[in-house]
């Protein structure tokens, strides 16, 4: 199995209101197919910024200064947005560190799991419900 996600020498800075701050400095990581990665660190250490860069979800004030990010051997920054949209949610995902900001208390967990499967057309409604039950099991 080869590298599914590879990040080499990633440097990102934020440019806002005339100030510049380094958000990520020389990050290198590799995730092989069939593996998961958990990134742990202090608040503000660049965990979310690194993953958002891999998913091409950085805010407009963020700038990648150097480094490469490849997914399945393809440079992420060179993909057009349509191709990236197909990858996000279907092949690549992120579990955010603050579940209160991303889980809706008015919906069941199962319903929230089914929603992206339907959105990304990974399965029909019944199959998605069954898959959610399996995952929760």
């Amino acid at each position: 199995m080869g590298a599914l996600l590879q990040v080499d020498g990633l440097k990102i800075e934020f440019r806002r209101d005339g100030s510049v701050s380094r958000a990520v400095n020389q990050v290198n990581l590799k995730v092989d197919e069939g593996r998961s990665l958990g990134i742990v660190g202090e608040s503000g250490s660049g965990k979310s910024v690194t993953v958002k860069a891999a998913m091409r979800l950085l805010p407009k004030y963020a700038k990648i200064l150097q480094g490469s990010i490849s997914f399945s051997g393809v440079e992420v920054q060179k993909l057009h947005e349509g191709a990236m949209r197909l990858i996000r949610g279907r092949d690549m995902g992120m579990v955010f560190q603050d579940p209160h900001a991303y889980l809706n208390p008015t919906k069941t967990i199962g319903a929230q799991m089914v929603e992206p499967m339907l959105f990304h057309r990974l399965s029909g409604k019944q199959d998605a419900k069954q898959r959610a039950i399996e995952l929760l099991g």
Side-chain angles (χ1 to χ4, degrees):
M1 286 190 197
L4 183 62
L5 175 67
Q6 182 134 4
V7 177
D8 292 311
L10 187 63
K11 283 187 181 182
I12 301 172
E13 66 183 21
F14 291 158
R15 298 177 181 183
R16 283 198 286 203
D17 303 324
S19 67
V20 177
S21 60
R22 182 67 47 90
V24 172
N25 191 27
Q26 288 293 334
V27 167
N28 298 291
L29 62 89
K30 178 181 167 186
V31 181
D32 289 329
E33 287 185 47
R35 305 298 302 207
S36 297
L37 173 69
I39 301 175
V40 180
E42 294 180 25
S43 179
S45 64
K47 303 175 301 289
S48 295
V49 174
T50 298
V51 176
K52 285 180 178 182
M55 296 180 74
R56 286 226 338 243
L57 294 173
L58 287 173
K60 299 235 184 277
Y61 55 84
K63 178 168 176 54
I64 295 176
L65 299 176
Q66 106 183 23
S68 66
I69 304 167
S70 62
F71 184 77
S72 291
V74 176
E75 184 66 30
V76 169
Q77 297 304 316
K78 293 180 180 176
L79 291 172
H80 61 83
E81 182 56 28
M84 225 24 243
R85 200 174 300 119
L86 290 173
I87 291 171
R88 280 189 222 113
R90 184 188 67 193
D91 300 317
M92 182 188 290
M94 176 178 178
V95 178
F96 294 93
Q97 50 195 4
D98 182 8
H100 295 107
Y102 299 98
L103 293 176
N104 183 340
T106 66
K107 293 182 178 180
T108 66
I109 295 293
Q112 292 177 76
M113 292 173 70
V114 166
E115 203 169 86
M117 287 187 257
L118 296 175
F119 178 81
H120 293 287
R121 296 185 178 104
L122 297 177
S123 60
K125 193 170 188 173
Q126 289 303 328
D127 289 339
K129 284 182 179 180
Q130 185 58 43
R131 181 69 178 135
I133 290 168
E134 289 170 13
L135 290 169
L136 289 170

